[in-house]
Structure formats: C-alpha cells, structure tokens
Amino acid sequence: MRAEAQSHVDTINEALALLRRFLDWDRALRRLDELNARVEDQALWNDPKAAQEVMRERRRLDEAITATRQIEQELSDNVELVEMAEAEGDADLEGQAVEALADLAKRAEHDKIQALLAGEADANDTYIEINAGAGGTESQDWAGMLSRMYQRWGERHGLKVELVDQHSGEQAGIKSATLLLKGENAYGYAKTESGVHRLVRISPYDSAARRHTSFASVWVYPVVDENIEVNYNESDLRIDTYRASGAGGQHINTTDSAVRITHIPTGIVVQCQNQRSQHKNKAEAYNQLRARLYERELAEREAAANAENASKTDIGWGHQIRSYVLQPYQLVKDLRTGVTSTSPADVLDGDLEAFMAAALSQRVTGEAVEVEDVD
C-alpha cells in the first residue's frame, strides 16, 4: 500500500483506538443493552425525568457505537479496494479508494472530537476569564490579545460572544476580562485552554526594542443551568459594590453598580460591571460564582479519577501550557501535547482547533509528553 493511503489508514486507526478507549468498548456495549432493556420497561415512563435521562444516555451511546462500527467497516472495505486495485494495476480505482480513505480520515477525526465532548458539562455555555500577569503594560497588552483570540475563536465556531466584565490597563490592553461564550459544546472545546500563556516578542512599548516575555492566565468554567445543583452558604459570601470604570479610570457610571462576590472558604472571586443596573450585575456575578464552584467540583472529580495524569493538575502561575514566540522567529508551542504552529498570526486570530483536539485526546489517554519550552 502506497504511503498516502497508509497515512490515512494510520490516522483512522488512531482515531478508532481512541474512540474505543474513550467509550470503554465492552462496557459501553453492555451498558447499551441495559439501557435498551430499561426503555422496554413500562415502569420507566412513570418518571418522565428519569426516562429523559435514560433516553439521552442511550442515544449518545448508540450514536457513538454506530459511528465507530461504520468507520471500521468503511476502513476495511476501502483497504480491500486499494489492495485489489494495486494487484490489478488499476490506477483510477486506486485513486478513488485513496480519496475515500482521505474523506474517512477526516470523518474519523471529527467523530473522535465529538465523542471526546461527552463530559458532564461539555455541552454547556462557558465563561473564559483572562488575567494579566506581573509586568504592567506588557502583560496587560498580552491579556488583551488573548481576549481577542478567544472572541475570534468563538466567532469562527458560530458561538455568541459576550463581554461580561473587563478592567482596562492604564496604557494598553486589559488587567482582566471575563467572556461568556454561548453555543453547542462551548465549554467542552474551551476547557483545555485553562492555564498560563506565555508571549515572547520585541516590545512595541520599549524604545530600545528589547525582547520581552509576558504572562497571562486563562481560566475556563462552564455555565451552570437549572439542572445542575450547586450548594453554598450565603454566610460564606462577601459582597462588595463599587463604581464601574472604563479605560484610564474614567467612570462609566456614577453609582456603585459594579458587584464583586468573594466565596471565603475557597477564595474564589467573581465580578461583573457590564450592566448599569446593580441588580443585573449581582445576578450575573452569582451565575459566575455557581459556575466557578461547579468547575471546581468537576476538577476535583477528574483529579481523583486520574491523579497521575499531569495534564490535570491545578492551574498556577508556574504551570505554563503554551508559548507564543513572535521574535526572533514565529512559533506557537503547546507544552502539554507538543503541538506547534508556525503561524502565530492565525493562532491569535482564533485558529485553535489543533491545540484543543490534541489536549482533549490527552485527557483520555493520560499520556504525558515531554516537551521543551521555546526560548
């Protein structure tokens, strides 16, 4: 089999292996049989909520298993066709079979990613919180670039993007910002972006044109809907109000409409100032708090389930996940998966698919990759 065809076959087999591993194939087949039996039990339909949950799980499993089997069958058929065409010296038939394998490889990659987005909150909308690191204007400008990157990524994926809260830098960029991205699987895709992002470039703010390194942190957490219960005590909250302000410290409101809520036991702080109404800002801040507490619970469950997976450690300022180098060369490198791009401009314009797909896959395999940072 020629190299092009073999490359497609390898891609498809890798996707199939990950799909089977993610589904825990034998367990998934047994579970589907159990769910089919429950659907046949008339007693289930006396509880509409339980029936809905069973049907949702059954549909997800059935779709994933069926899609995997279809890919396996089409792979077998097309490999057989390639081999037959090679044996008969039929170049046209071989070309058609290789083209079919290429299309199947794209579908297998798509199905793999869709299957990986089956976590408890993956389908939910998401918040993305960005904070500038130490370094003043340099880091604040970098945080602003990241904010734009995620807004562009959301727009490219047909998500609705809202700016919930933003504190502008004194000269440029932002000190912090919170985005709300609404759409299918928004959290599932974005959740792998949590961590510290590092920028290396010739500073536009340095008259000596020296190279600077800047840091900003990204925190991603899911929007909590009415079906998810999050418990906390009101007595554990500290609620502060203050005047909302824009760039350069100019007030955009003459009343204390902005709201900051601190969850004292965990130290979680959320804030909102995008509305002129204190009531609306407070309601949005409560939504963010519930989302942060829920994300914390998900992270604890994930860590407990696979404590040895280095990619699931808590995010801190020393935990860099990606470096973006603009000078003296052009390179973006993910320090968890080793995925790179030689077009930082495209990445900063929201082209994050390759990085997200690799990080999602790593969460399933748990395979750590030794990656050296770039200078």
Side-chain angles (χ1 to χ4, degrees):
M1 186 179 297
R2 71 189 196 190
E4 183 183 359
Q6 187 61 56
S7 175
H8 296 321
V9 170
D10 291 343
T11 297
I12 296 165
N13 279 326
E14 288 174 7
L16 286 170
L18 191 65
L19 281 167
R20 282 177 164 270
R21 183 169 179 173
F22 174 76
L23 288 169
D24 191 352
W25 189 254
D26 292 337
R27 186 206 64 79
L29 294 176
R30 290 194 300 271
R31 180 58 178 164
L32 184 58
D33 288 339
E34 293 172 3
L35 294 171
N36 286 333
R38 288 195 66 186
V39 169
E40 296 297 325
D41 184 356
Q42 292 300 316
L44 172 67
W45 303 98
N46 294 329
D47 186 343
K49 184 177 181 180
Q52 186 179 32
E53 291 176 357
V54 168
M55 290 300 293
R56 186 185 300 115
E57 183 183 359
R58 176 179 176 272
R59 182 174 62 254
R60 182 186 66 80
L61 267 181
D62 184 54
E63 289 175 354
I65 290 170
T66 299
T68 302
R69 284 173 167 164
Q70 286 177 343
I71 293 171
E72 289 174 335
Q73 185 60 54
E74 290 182 42
L75 173 61
S76 176
D77 291 345
N78 282 294
V79 166
E80 186 177 335
L81 197 59
V82 168
E83 292 173 346
M84 183 177 70
E86 287 178 341
E88 296 178 357
D90 190 334
D92 289 340
L93 181 60
E94 182 183 357
Q96 292 173 17
V98 171
E99 186 177 343
L101 282 172
D103 291 340
L104 185 60
K106 291 178 183 177
R107 202 172 90 215
E109 283 293 298
H110 176 269
D111 288 354
K112 178 186 77 173
I113 298 304
Q114 290 302 113
L116 295 178
L117 298 174
E120 185 175 315
D122 283 356
N124 292 24
D125 300 336
T126 190
Y127 292 105
I128 299 181
E129 182 181 307
I130 301 141
N131 289 282
T137 300
E138 290 293 336
S139 292
Q140 290 167 15
D141 190 42
W142 173 223
M145 293 167 65
L146 286 175
S147 178
R148 180 187 179 278
M149 181 180 78
Y150 289 116
Q151 291 181 59
R152 290 290 296 121
W153 172 77
E155 292 164 359
R156 289 165 66 123
H157 282 265
L159 304 177
K160 182 180 179 182
V161 181
E162 297 178 9
L163 182 62
V164 174
D165 184 74
Q166 179 170 294
H167 293 264
S168 300
E170 283 82 3
Q171 297 182 41
I174 59 172
K175 296 178 179 178
S176 65
T178 301
L179 307 174
L180 173 58
L181 279 65
K182 297 181 178 180
E184 184 178 1
N185 291 324
Y187 174 67
Y189 280 110
K191 66 184 180 183
T192 60
E193 291 295 296
S194 285
V196 175
H197 297 244
R198 171 178 174 256
L199 173 70
V200 179
R201 66 173 177 175
I202 302 296
S203 171
Y205 305 102
D206 188 336
S207 58
R210 290 171 292 190
R211 195 166 70 146
H212 284 247
T213 298
S214 306
F215 297 91
S217 69
V218 174
W219 193 260
V220 182
Y221 45 100
V223 173
V224 179
D225 57 34
E226 64 276 4
N227 296 320
I228 299 173
E229 185 176 349
V230 179
N231 297 314
Y232 57 86
N233 295 320
E234 288 286 340
S235 60
D236 289 334
L237 306 181
R238 184 176 70 245
I239 302 176
D240 301 307
T241 58
Y242 57 97
R243 286 189 178 182
S245 60
Q250 297 300 311
H251 295 307
I252 60 174
N253 202 337
T254 57
T255 62
D256 292 345
S257 61
V259 176
R260 180 186 300 111
I261 301 178
T262 303
H263 184 250
I264 297 171
T266 61
I268 289 174
V269 179
V270 295
Q271 52 197 10
C272 184
Q273 64 168 346
N274 68 319
Q275 302 289 338
R276 289 188 176 274
S277 163
Q278 184 185 112
H279 176 74
K280 291 181 179 179
N281 282 331
K282 188 174 183 180
E284 177 58 35
Y286 266 107
N287 287 338
Q288 291 182 57
L289 176 64
R290 293 176 67 238
R292 286 286 300 271
L293 290 172
Y294 179 59
E295 191 277 339
R296 181 185 176 91
E297 180 185 340
L298 289 178
E300 289 174 350
R301 286 191 221 160
E302 190 174 347
N306 199 347
E308 74 277 5
N309 188 343
S311 69
K312 298 172 184 176
T313 57
D314 290 336
I315 298 301
W317 286 101
H319 187 67
Q320 299 170 36
I321 67 166
R322 193 174 302 143
S323 287
Y324 306 69
V325 180
L326 305 187
Q327 278 102 6
Y329 53 89
Q330 303 269 304
L331 182 68
V332 180
K333 187 172 188 178
D334 195 287
L335 306 180
R336 302 161 299 176
T337 64
V339 171
T340 62
S341 170
T342 55
S343 181
D346 290 341
V347 174
L348 292 172
D349 196 43
D351 186 8
L352 299 170
E353 287 79 3
F355 297 102
M356 291 178 173
L360 282 168
S361 298
Q362 189 182 63
R363 283 174 172 243
V364 175
T365 64
E367 296 173 358
V369 180
E370 289 189 11
V371 182
E372 291 186 7
D373 201 351
V374 290
D375 295 328

